[in-house]
Amino acid sequence: MISFFTDLVLVALCVVGITALMGTISQVIAVKLFGGKKVSHFVDKSKSFQENWSPVKRR
């Protein structure tokens, strides 16, 4: 009976782990395949916009 619950817990952990990683893995594959040249377009635009900001003076 204890081995049944051990197997059940192991299968449950594997199912949850694989399900959690599927989204991340599919996103990485999609960005690499379908991202094209504009993968970092918004990050670059944000950085160029923030370059002219004055730094915050802390006390």
Side-chain angles (χ1 to χ4, degrees), residues 28-55:
V28 168
I29 291 171
V31 166
K32 296 291 181 186
L33 290 178
F34 306 113
K37 296 178 181 177
K38 296 185 176 184
V39 173
S40 62
H41 172 73
F42 294 106
V43 174
D44 294 340
K45 192 69 172 176
S46 178
K47 282 183 182 178
S48 69
F49 181 71
Q50 292 175 3
E51 283 177 354
N52 297 329
W53 289 1
S54 60

Side-chain angles (χ1 to χ4, degrees), residues 1-57:
M1 193 69 177
I2 292 175
S3 63
F4 171 74
F5 287 115
T6 305
D7 290 342
L8 182 67
V9 168
L10 288 174
V11 169
L13 288 175
C14 287
V15 167
V16 169
I18 291 171
T19 305
L21 291 176
M22 276 191 333
T24 305
I25 293 170
S26 63
Q27 180 185 8
V28 168
I29 291 171
V31 166
K32 296 291 181 186
L33 290 178
F34 306 113
K37 296 178 181 177
K38 296 185 176 184
V39 173
S40 62
H41 172 73
F42 294 106
V43 174
D44 294 340
K45 192 69 172 176
S46 178
K47 282 183 182 178
S48 69
F49 181 71
Q50 292 175 3
E51 283 177 354
N52 297 329
W53 289 1
S54 60
V56 175
K57 297 179 181 176

